[in-house]
Amino acid sequence: FTPDLGTKNSTFEYILTTASCGNDTSIGTISIETKPNAGNNGVRTVCDSSSTSIDLNDIITGEQTGGTWTRLTGTGGSFDATAGTFTPALGATSSTFEYMLTAVVPCTDTSSIATITIEAQPYAGVDGGTTVCDSSTTIINLFNIITGEQTGGVWTRTSGTGGVFNASGGTFTPVSGASSSTFLY
């Protein structure tokens, strides 16, 4: 007997027949245990400033109920293994959580992984300003006006006219007739 996927418990009877002694019978039973399904791995990315509780069961897909959650990697935040939730907090690192379903022998346990990727909140720095004479033509590096900014941002001009604004270089060159201007990083 070779079971296929979906095969149910089966009973087989063996009969030995003899003319003078009668029949003798034995029964062979094969019990089929269902392998548990812990679902498919999943990933969610959240900002490091998030404090919204995350249901880890919403990250993995196709899982059966009744499993247990364990944190495998990461620090910070609040992990509730019983509820299967994780609440990020400032300082929390990216984390992985395992959902484990225990199998009945001879099947093997199965698990899936929910990954929470913590992405740093962008920081554009502290506002600043400078004053120049209306006859100045000296290039102003806008990065020297703000402080503490992360790299990778984009400059836009939000007010003012005249002068030469270089968004990709983060510079402004005033010329005669330029008005006071505001630039957003």
Side-chain angles (χ1 to χ4, degrees), residues 81-181:
T82 304
T85 60
F86 174 69
T87 305
L90 285 176
T93 63
S94 294
S95 301
T96 55
F97 302 89
E98 179 182 49
Y99 181 69
M100 172 73 72
L101 281 170
T102 304
V104 176
V105 174
C107 295
T108 56
D109 296 346
T110 183
S111 66
S112 62
I113 304 293
T115 302
I116 305 288
T117 302
I118 305 291
E119 189 170 277
Q121 171 71 37
Y123 184 66
V126 177
D127 296 349
T130 190
T131 302
V132 297
C133 184
D134 68 353
S135 63
S136 175
T137 57
T138 303
I139 296 173
I140 300 169
N141 183 339
L142 299 173
F143 287 105
N144 292 339
I145 297 173
I146 60 174
T147 55
E149 72 281 352
Q150 293 174 332
T151 60
V154 176
W155 284 101
T156 56
R157 186 178 198 167
T158 59
S159 71
T161 59
V164 178
F165 169 52
N166 180 336
S168 61
T171 61
F172 175 68
T173 306
V175 296
S176 181
S179 66
S180 294
S181 298

Side-chain angles (χ1 to χ4, degrees), residues 68-80:
T68 57
W69 284 100
T70 306
R71 187 177 198 167
L72 300 177
T73 65
T75 60
S78 177
F79 169 55
D80 184 336

Side-chain angles (χ1 to χ4, degrees), residues 22-108:
N23 296 339
D24 191 24
T25 303
S26 62
I27 302 291
T29 301
I30 297 179
S31 298
I32 306 292
E33 293 296 335
T34 303
K35 180 170 177 59
N37 181 0
N40 300 308
N41 298 343
V43 178
R44 170 121 3 120
T45 301
V46 298
C47 186
D48 67 356
S49 63
S50 174
S51 60
T52 301
S53 180
I54 300 167
D55 185 341
L56 298 172
N57 291 296
D58 290 343
I59 297 174
I60 59 175
T61 57
E63 74 279 3
Q64 294 173 326
T65 60
T68 57
W69 284 100
T70 306
R71 187 177 198 167
L72 300 177
T73 65
T75 60
S78 177
F79 169 55
D80 184 336
T82 304
T85 60
F86 174 69
T87 305
L90 285 176
T93 63
S94 294
S95 301
T96 55
F97 302 89
E98 179 182 49
Y99 181 69
M100 172 73 72
L101 281 170
T102 304
V104 176
V105 174
C107 295
T108 56

